[in-house]
Amino acid sequence: MTAAALYVAEPPAQYLVIPPLVVDCSVLSSALFEEESRDVALDRLKGKALHAPYLLEQELVSVALKKQRQGWDAESIALVLANYSSLNMALHPTDIAAQHDLAVRYALSAYHAAYLWLSAELKAPLATFDKKLATAAKTHLANLS
């Protein structure tokens, strides 16, 4: 009897699973608006499937308005917003009751609780420059089953 041959075909690297990362506005705006921490943000985002709650877009518009009031010209703002639109960002609704519970439990803003909820829901890391959110995420995500 002849042993059966095992054949394995693999897809090109771009088709392999890309690890998910929930990214908050602090990290994304740092990258897009070329802030001081831009390189740190870009390094963390590289090679990840990006996820955020729907509220991210409103937060980015708020940052854009702040930048414009600080003297950024309309053309630069438009370019940043176009760069955001070209990202392959998966936006998600949140469970508002669970979001509220997380905000109360960890004394977070509703916005930060949305990112934390999504990170827990996807069982994905959360990238933020906010120390309070990072501390809450470390505790909360470590206790997931």
Side-chain angles (χ1 to χ4, degrees), residues 127-142:
T128 182
F129 284 120
D130 186 276
K131 187 175 181 177
K132 187 174 183 179
L133 176 55
T135 300
K138 187 174 182 177
T139 300
H140 188 68
L141 297 176

Side-chain angles (χ1 to χ4, degrees), residues 10-141:
E10 295 185 29
Q14 70 263 28
Y15 294 109
L16 297 177
V17 175
I18 299 171
L21 178 67
V22 174
V23 59
D24 82 348
C25 187
S26 69
V27 175
L28 198 56
S29 64
S30 178
L32 291 169
F33 287 97
E34 299 182 0
E35 295 174 357
E36 187 177 312
S37 51
R38 177 182 187 256
D39 290 342
V40 173
L42 288 174
D43 188 53
R44 187 64 172 123
L45 300 176
K46 188 189 234 181
K48 302 292 190 288
L50 304 179
H51 298 267
Y54 281 120
L55 68 91
L56 172 70
E57 293 187 337
Q58 283 66 45
E59 286 192 294
L60 280 176
V61 170
S62 182
V63 172
L65 289 168
K66 182 178 178 182
K67 296 292 186 183
Q68 192 164 10
R69 291 177 186 131
Q70 293 173 346
W72 279 56
D73 62 85
E75 187 176 305
S76 296
I77 298 290
L79 181 59
V80 166
L81 296 177
N83 286 342
Y84 164 74
S85 294
S86 71
L87 292 176
N88 188 14
M89 173 77 65
L91 297 176
H92 304 268
T94 59
D95 176 324
I96 62 171
Q99 181 182 341
H100 175 266
D101 289 346
L102 289 172
V104 170
R105 183 181 320 160
Y106 296 107
L108 297 172
S109 70
Y111 299 106
H112 285 159
Y115 292 101
L116 180 56
W117 177 86
L118 182 59
S119 182
E121 183 71 11
L122 297 177
K123 293 187 175 37
L126 171 61
T128 182
F129 284 120
D130 186 276
K131 187 175 181 177
K132 187 174 183 179
L133 176 55
T135 300
K138 187 174 182 177
T139 300
H140 188 68
L141 297 176

